[in-house]
Amino acid sequence: MKRIGFIGLGIMGKPMASNLLSKGYQVTVNDINEATVQSLVELGAVSAESPKMIGESCEVIITMLPANKHVKQVILDENGVLSGAKPGSVIIDMSSITPVVSKEIAALASEKGVEMLDAPVSGGEPKAIDGTLAIMVGGKEEVFEQVKDVLYAIGTEVTLVGGNGSGTTAKLANQVIVNLNIAAMSEALVLASKAGIDVEKMYQAIRGGLAGSAVLDAKAPLILDRNFVAGGRIDINMKDITNVIDTAHEIGVPMPLSSQLLEIFHALKVDGKSSDDHGGIVQYFEKLANVEVRRV
């Protein structure tokens, strides 16, 4: 089995690393949260003090980090992965970052004989836990074939989209669809609630029709329960939509709906909702209409 390094053990990374352990892989982990590292050591992982040590000891190095700056720091800094990685090893960045940064890191890795795939995921914490994530991959086909067993250990829908940067671009498109879907759903739920109908019955009535979606089924029941415990945090999704706008404007693509969504995220941040799940977008519309969506 391949020796795998895993850096970034947050809401998504911890269950992903755990799934690799359960499939029999040797996994070495690194994170700033020592308690999380220890919990994986108890499951059979090995702890590494630095990303450099991960690079030195592992053939495949996975990063699952919040933003561009964290990925660059962990891979490129003096004590980063590339300072220890051997030629022929593969970095799989599963973070949600911009295609520009992903391509930049891949180019620098290539100079040291290290391959890189960008492989962001979709499905949130529940699918990270049960190992059924959708994974969109950018990079060389031969490198993808070399490590796809690792990707299938944490996801069920794994697609090579194209060259380096293609996975991160697909993820940006995914985040537009997911978050705008939540916003549209939220607006509709608030309308129904203010009109005085039973919102749960309305949900059951529409979920089998054209308005039905994975987003509706995942988020509507949680909203009705007032459960905004984060599977996908508002601040992380705000970062993703910021990346969408920056990337789109750079290549000449207007994003009117996404731009409005970004303002909604900023309003929620000001309102102290940054750590809520992105299903909490509904709270923006509730505040405007002075109503709360919940079960009768």
Side-chain angles (χ1 to χ4, degrees), residues 11-12 124-125 175 179 219 228-240 265 273-281:
I11 289 173
M12 299 291 287
E125 185 183 15
Q175 294 303 80
N179 285 290
K219 300 300 181 181
F228 301 123
V229 176
R233 289 170 56 115
I234 281 173
D235 54 3
I236 296 297
N237 282 277
M238 182 169 73
K239 176 266 300 180
D240 289 342
F265 277 139
K273 310 294 187 185
S274 289
S275 62
D276 285 1
D277 184 78
H278 54 163
I281 288 172

Side-chain angles (χ1 to χ4, degrees), residues 125-245:
E125 185 183 15
K127 289 185 178 290
I129 291 170
D130 63 22
T132 60
L133 290 165
I135 306 174
M136 47 219 89
V137 187
K140 298 175 185 173
E141 185 171 3
E142 60 270 25
V143 178
F144 171 73
E145 291 295 329
Q146 182 184 335
V147 299
K148 71 178 183 181
D149 62 308
V150 175
L151 297 172
Y152 274 107
I154 50 183
T156 50
E157 298 292 332
V158 182
T159 306
L160 179 64
V161 181
N164 287 110
S166 298
T168 47
T169 301
K171 173 67 174 185
L172 294 182
N174 178 86
Q175 294 303 80
V176 170
I177 294 168
V178 169
N179 285 290
L180 283 175
N181 200 335
I182 293 174
M185 174 194 71
S186 296
E187 196 169 66
L189 293 178
V190 167
L191 169 67
S193 184
K194 188 81 175 195
I197 70 171
D198 186 323
V199 179
E200 184 174 12
K201 287 182 178 177
M202 184 203 74
Y203 161 62
Q204 294 296 337
I206 68 173
R207 64 188 295 261
L210 196 57
S213 69
V215 167
L216 183 70
D217 285 338
K219 300 300 181 181
L222 295 177
I223 290 170
L224 288 166
D225 288 336
R226 309 307 295 170
N227 180 359
F228 301 123
V229 176
R233 289 170 56 115
I234 281 173
D235 54 3
I236 296 297
N237 282 277
M238 182 169 73
K239 176 266 300 180
D240 289 342
I241 298 302
T242 301
N243 287 342
V244 165
I245 301 298

